[in-house]
């Protein structure tokens, strides 16, 4: 299993970014995918999740209405569209899945929101 995130960067408050996570090594379309984030000195927190068929999504309260998780099963890719970014969204963002009872994480992509 391999998860490779991309799309992070430096953005001003109020700006937008779209993160991508390319998955391989498992049947992507059959598994729930998640985005987590971890800020310095804080625990890793779940940001958003999407079921295998994309029939259901869930979000942390802190990002509801601003972030949208989606997936393209034909491209083995999950996305996180982040709008109206705030300085408190600054963190390293990680893609996650649980495959055969094992948690898998990508290497993360840094998002910094600052003026």
């Amino acid at each position: 299993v391999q998860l490779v995130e991309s799309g992070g960067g430096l953005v001003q408050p109020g700006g937008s970014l779209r993160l991508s996570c390319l998955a391989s090594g498992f049947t992507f379309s059959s598994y729930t995918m998640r985005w987590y984030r971890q800020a310095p000195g804080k625990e890793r927190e779940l940001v958003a999740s999407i079921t295998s068929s994309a029939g259901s999504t869930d979000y942390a309260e802190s990002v509801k209405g601003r972030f949208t998780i989606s997936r393209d099963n034909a491209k083995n890719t999950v996305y996180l569209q982040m709008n109206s970014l705030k300085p408190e969204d600054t963190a390293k963002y990680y893609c996650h899945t649980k495959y055969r009872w094992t948690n898998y994480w990508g290497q993360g992509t840094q998002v910094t929101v600052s003026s």
Side-chain angles (χ1 to χ4, degrees):
V1 173
Q2 190 172 17
L3 303 171
V4 180
E5 302 98 333
S6 61
L10 173 64
V11 63
Q12 291 188 341
S16 298
L17 281 174
R18 187 175 83 152
L19 307 183
S20 300
C21 171
L22 177 62
S24 61
F26 65 107
T27 307
F28 176 78
S29 59
S30 297
Y31 291 86
T32 293
M33 298 298 297
R34 301 172 185 87
W35 284 98
Y36 284 77
R37 67 185 180 187
Q38 187 167 21
K42 294 189 176 182
E43 291 188 359
R44 193 169 294 190
E45 64 169 342
L46 178 63
V47 175
S49 63
I50 185 166
T51 56
S52 56
S53 63
S56 179
T57 57
D58 198 14
Y59 299 91
E61 283 298 323
S62 59
V63 307
K64 275 184 181 178
R66 300 188 297 121
F67 289 13
T68 302
I69 189 171
S70 62
R71 65 191 296 160
D72 186 337
N73 286 340
K75 295 183 178 179
N76 282 9
T77 302
V78 60
Y79 304 98
L80 186 67
Q81 177 66 43
M82 305 186 295
N83 298 328
S84 302
L85 282 161
K86 304 176 181 179
E88 51 264 43
D89 295 318
T90 295
K92 199 162 189 179
Y93 284 71
Y94 297 89
C95 184
H96 167 273
T97 195
K98 192 165 188 177
Y99 174 70
R100 293 185 178 179
W101 307 283
T102 300
N103 290 305
Y104 290 92
W105 305 87
Q107 82 289 351
T109 186
Q110 178 67 37
V111 172
T112 303
V113 184
S114 175
S115 54

